[in-house]
Amino acid sequence: KQEVTQIPAALSVPEGENLVLNCSFTDSAIYNLQWFRQDPGKGLTSLLLIQSSQREQTSGRLNASLDKSSGRSTLYIAASQPGDSATYLCAVQDDYKLSFGAGTTVTVRA
Amino acid sequence: DGGITQSPKYLFRKEGQNVTLSCEQNLNHDAMYWYRQDPGQGLRLIYYSQIVNDFQKGDIAEGYSVSREKKESFPLTVTSAQKNPTAFYLCASTGERNQPQHFGDGTRLSIL
């Protein structure tokens, strides 16, 4: 069974600092890896999707890398802003099913 | 605007009662999913459906039931057999297997 772990569980940084969020998974036979953002009491918003054949994906200030062989992904957020405060979840897809980590809750202090 | 609508936003269940959570999408997606989220935990898959009139159990299906009579709709019933139903329930859909899942805003279910 796929296990997804996100470390740290919470992170607090001053505005302008770069954020580094980690995700690890136990079974490397994945179809893709997805990063989501969740605001309090809301659903999830897709940030980036990395196909299993890709090494990284970028969107604006966000960059996600994937090392399938070691079962790791990292989400980088450059020049953090208070609006980046949220919980970030990573999920790996196996066929049609997603397995989620518990998330990293980020607070960006103004 | 295309999206997923979940209703109600808040729901309260009495002992021994079944309750149904609604999920409607206008994205023309084939696949739909129901997840449960507990505090400090990741999402866990309850049921999913890849096509109308077909659905499969996820990791925690006991005490739940679903139907998929229309492409747009995938309601979830939380039965009285589910002894710990208090959670945040999220519905999602996707068109192609290699596209990100789109989520609704969730329903928070509590016990009276």
CSV table of all heavy atoms in Angstrom, one decimal, chain A residues 16-62:
chain,number,residue,atom,x,y,z
A,16,GLY,N,9.2,36.9,2.1
A,16,GLY,CA,10.4,37.0,1.2
A,16,GLY,C,11.3,35.8,1.2
A,16,GLY,O,12.1,35.7,0.3
A,17,GLU,N,11.2,35.0,2.2
A,17,GLU,CA,12.0,33.8,2.3
A,17,GLU,C,11.5,32.7,1.3
A,17,GLU,O,10.3,32.7,1.1
A,17,GLU,CB,12.1,33.3,3.7
A,17,GLU,CG,13.1,32.2,4.0
A,17,GLU,CD,13.3,32.0,5.5
A,17,GLU,OE1,13.7,33.0,6.2
A,17,GLU,OE2,13.1,30.9,5.9
A,18,ASN,N,12.4,31.9,0.8
A,18,ASN,CA,12.0,30.8,-0.1
A,18,ASN,C,11.5,29.6,0.8
A,18,ASN,O,12.0,29.4,1.9
A,18,ASN,CB,13.2,30.3,-0.9
A,18,ASN,CG,13.7,31.4,-1.9
A,18,ASN,OD1,12.9,32.3,-2.3
A,18,ASN,ND2,14.9,31.4,-2.3
A,19,LEU,N,10.5,29.0,0.3
A,19,LEU,CA,9.9,27.8,1.0
A,19,LEU,C,10.3,26.5,0.3
A,19,LEU,O,10.4,26.4,-0.9
A,19,LEU,CB,8.4,27.9,1.0
A,19,LEU,CG,7.7,29.0,1.9
A,19,LEU,CD1,6.3,29.2,1.4
A,19,LEU,CD2,7.8,28.5,3.3
A,20,VAL,N,10.6,25.5,1.2
A,20,VAL,CA,11.0,24.2,0.6
A,20,VAL,C,10.1,23.2,1.4
A,20,VAL,O,10.2,23.0,2.6
A,20,VAL,CB,12.5,23.9,0.9
A,20,VAL,CG1,12.8,22.5,0.3
A,20,VAL,CG2,13.3,24.9,0.2
A,21,LEU,N,9.2,22.5,0.6
A,21,LEU,CA,8.3,21.5,1.2
A,21,LEU,C,8.7,20.1,0.6
A,21,LEU,O,8.9,20.0,-0.6
A,21,LEU,CB,6.9,21.9,0.9
A,21,LEU,CG,6.4,23.3,1.2
A,21,LEU,CD1,5.0,23.5,0.8
A,21,LEU,CD2,6.7,23.6,2.7
A,22,ASN,N,8.7,19.1,1.5
A,22,ASN,CA,9.2,17.8,1.1
A,22,ASN,C,8.0,16.8,1.2
A,22,ASN,O,7.2,16.9,2.0
A,22,ASN,CB,10.3,17.3,2.1
A,22,ASN,CG,11.5,18.2,2.0
A,22,ASN,OD1,12.1,18.4,0.9
A,22,ASN,ND2,11.9,18.8,3.1
A,23,CYS,N,8.1,15.9,0.2
A,23,CYS,CA,7.2,14.8,0.1
A,23,CYS,C,7.9,13.5,-0.2
A,23,CYS,O,8.8,13.5,-1.1
A,23,CYS,CB,6.1,15.1,-1.0
A,23,CYS,SG,5.0,13.8,-1.4
A,24,SER,N,7.6,12.4,0.5
A,24,SER,CA,8.2,11.1,0.2
A,24,SER,C,7.1,10.1,0.0
A,24,SER,O,6.1,10.2,0.7
A,24,SER,CB,9.2,10.7,1.2
A,24,SER,OG,8.6,10.6,2.5
A,25,PHE,N,7.4,9.1,-0.8
A,25,PHE,CA,6.4,8.0,-1.0
A,25,PHE,C,7.1,6.7,-1.1
A,25,PHE,O,8.3,6.6,-1.5
A,25,PHE,CB,5.5,8.3,-2.3
A,25,PHE,CG,6.3,8.7,-3.5
A,25,PHE,CD1,6.7,7.7,-4.4
A,25,PHE,CD2,6.7,10.0,-3.7
A,25,PHE,CE1,7.4,8.1,-5.6
A,25,PHE,CE2,7.4,10.3,-4.9
A,25,PHE,CZ,7.8,9.4,-5.8
A,26,THR,N,6.4,5.6,-0.8
A,26,THR,CA,7.1,4.3,-0.6
A,26,THR,C,7.1,3.4,-1.9
A,26,THR,O,8.0,2.6,-2.0
A,26,THR,CB,6.4,3.5,0.5
A,26,THR,OG1,5.0,3.4,0.2
A,26,THR,CG2,6.5,4.2,1.8
A,27,ASP,N,6.1,3.6,-2.8
A,27,ASP,CA,6.1,2.8,-4.0
A,27,ASP,C,6.4,3.7,-5.2
A,27,ASP,O,5.6,4.6,-5.5
A,27,ASP,CB,4.7,2.1,-4.1
A,27,ASP,CG,4.6,1.2,-5.3
A,27,ASP,OD1,5.5,1.1,-6.1
A,27,ASP,OD2,3.6,0.4,-5.3
A,28,SER,N,7.5,3.4,-5.9
A,28,SER,CA,7.9,4.3,-7.0
A,28,SER,C,7.1,4.0,-8.3
A,28,SER,O,7.3,4.7,-9.3
A,28,SER,CB,9.4,4.1,-7.3
A,28,SER,OG,9.6,2.7,-7.7
A,29,ALA,N,6.2,3.0,-8.3
A,29,ALA,CA,5.4,2.8,-9.5
A,29,ALA,C,4.2,3.7,-9.6
A,29,ALA,O,3.1,3.3,-9.4
A,29,ALA,CB,5.0,1.3,-9.5
A,30,ILE,N,4.5,5.0,-9.8
A,30,ILE,CA,3.4,5.9,-9.8
A,30,ILE,C,3.1,6.4,-11.2
A,30,ILE,O,4.0,6.3,-12.1
A,30,ILE,CB,3.8,7.2,-8.9
A,30,ILE,CG1,5.0,7.9,-9.4
A,30,ILE,CG2,4.0,6.7,-7.5
A,30,ILE,CD1,5.2,9.2,-8.8
A,31,TYR,N,1.9,6.9,-11.4
A,31,TYR,CA,1.5,7.5,-12.7
A,31,TYR,C,1.9,9.0,-12.8
A,31,TYR,O,2.4,9.4,-13.8
A,31,TYR,CB,0.0,7.3,-12.9
A,31,TYR,CG,-0.4,7.3,-14.3
A,31,TYR,CD1,-0.1,6.3,-15.2
A,31,TYR,CD2,-1.1,8.4,-14.8
A,31,TYR,CE1,-0.5,6.4,-16.5
A,31,TYR,CE2,-1.5,8.5,-16.1
A,31,TYR,CZ,-1.2,7.4,-17.0
A,31,TYR,OH,-1.6,7.5,-18.3
A,32,ASN,N,1.7,9.7,-11.7
A,32,ASN,CA,2.1,11.1,-11.6
A,32,ASN,C,2.1,11.5,-10.1
A,32,ASN,O,1.7,10.7,-9.3
A,32,ASN,CB,1.2,12.0,-12.4
A,32,ASN,CG,-0.2,12.0,-12.0
A,32,ASN,OD1,-0.5,12.2,-10.8
A,32,ASN,ND2,-1.2,11.9,-12.9
A,33,LEU,N,2.6,12.7,-9.9
A,33,LEU,CA,2.6,13.3,-8.5
A,33,LEU,C,2.0,14.7,-8.6
A,33,LEU,O,2.3,15.4,-9.6
A,33,LEU,CB,4.0,13.3,-7.9
A,33,LEU,CG,4.1,13.8,-6.5
A,33,LEU,CD1,5.2,13.1,-5.7
A,33,LEU,CD2,4.3,15.3,-6.4
A,34,GLN,N,1.1,15.0,-7.7
A,34,GLN,CA,0.4,16.2,-7.7
A,34,GLN,C,0.6,17.0,-6.4
A,34,GLN,O,0.6,16.4,-5.4
A,34,GLN,CB,-1.1,16.0,-8.0
A,34,GLN,CG,-1.4,15.2,-9.3
A,34,GLN,CD,-2.9,15.0,-9.5
A,34,GLN,OE1,-3.7,15.8,-9.2
A,34,GLN,NE2,-3.2,13.9,-10.2
A,35,TRP,N,0.7,18.3,-6.5
A,35,TRP,CA,0.8,19.2,-5.4
A,35,TRP,C,-0.5,20.1,-5.4
A,35,TRP,O,-0.9,20.6,-6.4
A,35,TRP,CB,2.0,20.1,-5.5
A,35,TRP,CG,3.3,19.5,-5.0
A,35,TRP,CD1,4.2,18.9,-5.9
A,35,TRP,CD2,3.8,19.3,-3.7
A,35,TRP,NE1,5.2,18.4,-5.1
A,35,TRP,CE2,5.0,18.6,-3.8
A,35,TRP,CE3,3.3,19.7,-2.5
A,35,TRP,CZ2,5.8,18.3,-2.7
A,35,TRP,CZ3,4.1,19.4,-1.3
A,35,TRP,CH2,5.3,18.7,-1.5
A,36,PHE,N,-1.1,20.2,-4.2
A,36,PHE,CA,-2.3,20.9,-4.0
A,36,PHE,C,-2.1,22.0,-2.9
A,36,PHE,O,-1.3,21.8,-2.0
A,36,PHE,CB,-3.5,20.0,-3.6
A,36,PHE,CG,-3.9,19.0,-4.7
A,36,PHE,CD1,-3.3,17.8,-4.7
A,36,PHE,CD2,-4.9,19.3,-5.6
A,36,PHE,CE1,-3.7,16.9,-5.7
A,36,PHE,CE2,-5.3,18.4,-6.5
A,36,PHE,CZ,-4.7,17.2,-6.6
A,37,ARG,N,-3.0,23.0,-3.0
A,37,ARG,CA,-3.0,24.0,-1.9
A,37,ARG,C,-4.4,23.9,-1.3
A,37,ARG,O,-5.4,23.7,-2.0
A,37,ARG,CB,-2.8,25.4,-2.4
A,37,ARG,CG,-3.1,26.5,-1.5
A,37,ARG,CD,-3.0,27.8,-2.1
A,37,ARG,NE,-3.5,28.9,-1.2
A,37,ARG,CZ,-2.9,30.0,-0.9
A,37,ARG,NH1,-1.7,30.3,-1.5
A,37,ARG,NH2,-3.4,30.9,-0.1
A,38,GLN,N,-4.5,24.0,0.1
A,38,GLN,CA,-5.8,24.0,0.7
A,38,GLN,C,-5.9,25.1,1.7
A,38,GLN,O,-5.1,25.2,2.7
A,38,GLN,CB,-6.1,22.6,1.5
A,38,GLN,CG,-7.5,22.6,2.1
A,38,GLN,CD,-7.8,21.2,2.7
A,38,GLN,OE1,-6.9,20.6,3.2
A,38,GLN,NE2,-9.1,20.8,2.7
A,39,ASP,N,-6.8,26.0,1.6
A,39,ASP,CA,-7.1,27.1,2.5
A,39,ASP,C,-8.1,26.6,3.6
A,39,ASP,O,-8.9,25.7,3.3
A,39,ASP,CB,-7.6,28.3,1.8
A,39,ASP,CG,-6.6,28.9,0.9
A,39,ASP,OD1,-5.6,29.4,1.4
A,39,ASP,OD2,-6.8,28.9,-0.4
A,40,PRO,N,-8.1,27.2,4.8
A,40,PRO,CA,-8.9,26.7,5.9
A,40,PRO,C,-10.4,26.5,5.5
A,40,PRO,O,-11.0,27.5,5.0
A,40,PRO,CB,-8.7,27.7,7.0
A,40,PRO,CG,-7.3,28.3,6.7
A,40,PRO,CD,-7.2,28.3,5.2
A,41,GLY,N,-10.9,25.4,5.7
A,41,GLY,CA,-12.4,25.1,5.5
A,41,GLY,C,-12.7,25.0,4.0
A,41,GLY,O,-13.9,25.1,3.6
A,42,LYS,N,-11.8,24.9,3.1
A,42,LYS,CA,-12.0,24.9,1.7
A,42,LYS,C,-11.6,23.6,1.1
A,42,LYS,O,-10.9,22.8,1.7
A,42,LYS,CB,-11.3,26.1,1.0
A,42,LYS,CG,-11.7,27.4,1.4
A,42,LYS,CD,-13.1,27.7,0.9
A,42,LYS,CE,-13.5,29.2,1.1
A,42,LYS,NZ,-14.8,29.5,0.6
A,43,GLY,N,-11.9,23.4,-0.2
A,43,GLY,CA,-11.4,22.3,-1.0
A,43,GLY,C,-10.0,22.5,-1.4
A,43,GLY,O,-9.3,23.5,-1.0
A,44,LEU,N,-9.5,21.6,-2.2
A,44,LEU,CA,-8.1,21.6,-2.7
A,44,LEU,C,-8.0,22.3,-4.1
A,44,LEU,O,-8.9,22.1,-4.9
A,44,LEU,CB,-7.5,20.2,-2.8
A,44,LEU,CG,-7.0,19.5,-1.6
A,44,LEU,CD1,-8.1,19.3,-0.6
A,44,LEU,CD2,-6.4,18.2,-1.9
A,45,THR,N,-6.9,23.1,-4.3
A,45,THR,CA,-6.7,23.7,-5.6
A,45,THR,C,-5.4,23.1,-6.1
A,45,THR,O,-4.3,23.1,-5.4
A,45,THR,CB,-6.5,25.2,-5.4
A,45,THR,OG1,-7.7,25.8,-4.9
A,45,THR,CG2,-6.2,25.9,-6.7
A,46,SER,N,-5.4,22.6,-7.3
A,46,SER,CA,-4.3,22.0,-8.0
A,46,SER,C,-3.2,23.1,-8.3
A,46,SER,O,-3.5,24.1,-8.8
A,46,SER,CB,-4.7,21.3,-9.3
A,46,SER,OG,-3.5,20.8,-9.9
A,47,LEU,N,-2.0,22.8,-7.9
A,47,LEU,CA,-0.9,23.7,-8.2
A,47,LEU,C,0.0,23.2,-9.3
A,47,LEU,O,0.3,23.9,-10.3
A,47,LEU,CB,0.0,23.8,-6.9
A,47,LEU,CG,-0.6,24.5,-5.7
A,47,LEU,CD1,0.3,24.4,-4.5
A,47,LEU,CD2,-1.1,25.9,-6.0
A,48,LEU,N,0.5,21.9,-9.2
A,48,LEU,CA,1.4,21.4,-10.2
A,48,LEU,C,1.1,19.9,-10.3
A,48,LEU,O,0.8,19.2,-9.3
A,48,LEU,CB,2.8,21.6,-9.8
A,48,LEU,CG,3.4,23.0,-9.9
A,48,LEU,CD1,4.7,23.2,-9.2
A,48,LEU,CD2,3.5,23.5,-11.3
A,49,LEU,N,1.3,19.3,-11.5
A,49,LEU,CA,1.2,17.9,-11.7
A,49,LEU,C,2.5,17.5,-12.5
A,49,LEU,O,2.8,18.1,-13.5
A,49,LEU,CB,0.0,17.5,-12.6
A,49,LEU,CG,-0.3,16.1,-12.9
A,49,LEU,CD1,-1.8,15.8,-13.0
A,49,LEU,CD2,0.5,15.6,-14.1
A,50,ILE,N,3.2,16.5,-11.9
A,50,ILE,CA,4.4,16.1,-12.6
A,50,ILE,C,4.2,14.7,-13.1
A,50,ILE,O,3.9,13.8,-12.3
A,50,ILE,CB,5.6,16.1,-11.6
A,50,ILE,CG1,5.8,17.4,-10.9
A,50,ILE,CG2,6.9,15.8,-12.4
A,50,ILE,CD1,6.9,17.4,-9.8
A,51,GLN,N,4.3,14.4,-14.4
A,51,GLN,CA,4.2,13.1,-14.9
A,51,GLN,C,5.4,12.2,-14.4
A,51,GLN,O,6.4,12.8,-14.1
A,51,GLN,CB,4.3,13.1,-16.4
A,51,GLN,CG,3.4,14.1,-17.1
A,51,GLN,CD,1.9,13.7,-17.2
A,51,GLN,OE1,1.6,12.7,-16.7
A,51,GLN,NE2,1.1,14.5,-17.8
A,52,SER,N,5.2,10.9,-14.4
A,52,SER,CA,6.2,10.0,-13.8
A,52,SER,C,7.5,10.1,-14.7
A,52,SER,O,8.6,9.8,-14.2
A,52,SER,CB,5.7,8.6,-13.8
A,52,SER,OG,5.4,8.1,-15.1
A,53,SER,N,7.4,10.5,-15.9
A,53,SER,CA,8.6,10.6,-16.8
A,53,SER,C,9.3,11.9,-16.7
A,53,SER,O,10.4,12.1,-17.3
A,53,SER,CB,8.1,10.3,-18.3
A,53,SER,OG,7.2,11.3,-18.6
A,54,GLN,N,8.7,12.9,-16.0
A,54,GLN,CA,9.3,14.2,-15.9
A,54,GLN,C,10.1,14.3,-14.6
A,54,GLN,O,9.9,13.6,-13.6
A,54,GLN,CB,8.2,15.3,-15.8
A,54,GLN,CG,7.4,15.4,-17.1
A,54,GLN,CD,6.3,16.4,-17.0
A,54,GLN,OE1,5.6,16.4,-16.0
A,54,GLN,NE2,6.1,17.2,-18.1
A,55,ARG,N,11.0,15.3,-14.6
A,55,ARG,CA,11.9,15.5,-13.4
A,55,ARG,C,11.4,16.7,-12.6
A,55,ARG,O,11.6,16.9,-11.4
A,55,ARG,CB,13.3,15.7,-13.9
A,55,ARG,CG,13.9,14.6,-14.6
A,55,ARG,CD,14.4,13.5,-13.6
A,55,ARG,NE,15.4,13.9,-12.7
A,55,ARG,CZ,16.0,13.1,-11.8
A,55,ARG,NH1,15.5,11.9,-11.6
A,55,ARG,NH2,16.9,13.6,-11.0
A,56,GLU,N,10.8,17.7,-13.4
A,56,GLU,CA,10.3,18.9,-12.6
A,56,GLU,C,9.2,19.6,-13.5
A,56,GLU,O,9.0,19.3,-14.7
A,56,GLU,CB,11.4,19.9,-12.3
A,56,GLU,CG,12.1,20.5,-13.5
A,56,GLU,CD,13.1,21.5,-13.1
A,56,GLU,OE1,13.1,22.0,-12.0
A,56,GLU,OE2,14.0,21.9,-13.9
A,57,GLN,N,8.5,20.5,-12.8
A,57,GLN,CA,7.4,21.3,-13.4
A,57,GLN,C,7.4,22.6,-12.7
A,57,GLN,O,7.7,22.7,-11.5
A,57,GLN,CB,6.1,20.5,-13.2
A,57,GLN,CG,4.9,21.0,-14.0
A,57,GLN,CD,5.1,20.8,-15.4
A,57,GLN,OE1,5.3,21.7,-16.2
A,57,GLN,NE2,5.0,19.5,-15.8
A,58,THR,N,7.2,23.7,-13.5
A,58,THR,CA,7.3,25.0,-13.0
A,58,THR,C,6.0,25.8,-13.3
A,58,THR,O,5.4,25.6,-14.4
A,58,THR,CB,8.5,25.8,-13.5
A,58,THR,OG1,9.7,25.1,-13.1
A,58,THR,CG2,8.5,27.2,-13.1
A,59,SER,N,5.6,26.6,-12.4
A,59,SER,CA,4.5,27.6,-12.6
A,59,SER,C,4.7,28.8,-11.8
A,59,SER,O,4.5,28.8,-10.6
A,59,SER,CB,3.1,26.9,-12.3
A,59,SER,OG,2.1,27.8,-12.4
A,60,GLY,N,5.1,29.9,-12.5
A,60,GLY,CA,5.3,31.1,-11.8
A,60,GLY,C,6.4,31.0,-10.7
A,60,GLY,O,7.5,30.6,-11.0
A,61,ARG,N,6.1,31.3,-9.5
A,61,ARG,CA,7.0,31.2,-8.4
A,61,ARG,C,7.2,29.8,-7.8
A,61,ARG,O,8.0,29.5,-6.9
A,61,ARG,CB,6.6,32.1,-7.2
A,61,ARG,CG,6.7,33.6,-7.5
A,61,ARG,CD,6.4,34.5,-6.3
A,61,ARG,NE,5.0,34.3,-5.9
A,61,ARG,CZ,4.7,33.8,-4.7
A,61,ARG,NH1,5.6,33.3,-3.9
A,61,ARG,NH2,3.4,33.7,-4.4
A,62,LEU,N,6.4,28.8,-8.4
A,62,LEU,CA,6.4,27.5,-7.9
A,62,LEU,C,7.2,26.6,-8.8
A,62,LEU,O,7.1,26.7,-10.0
A,62,LEU,CB,5.0,26.9,-7.8
A,62,LEU,CG,4.1,27.2,-6.6
A,62,LEU,CD1,4.0,28.7,-6.4
A,62,LEU,CD2,2.8,26.6,-6.7
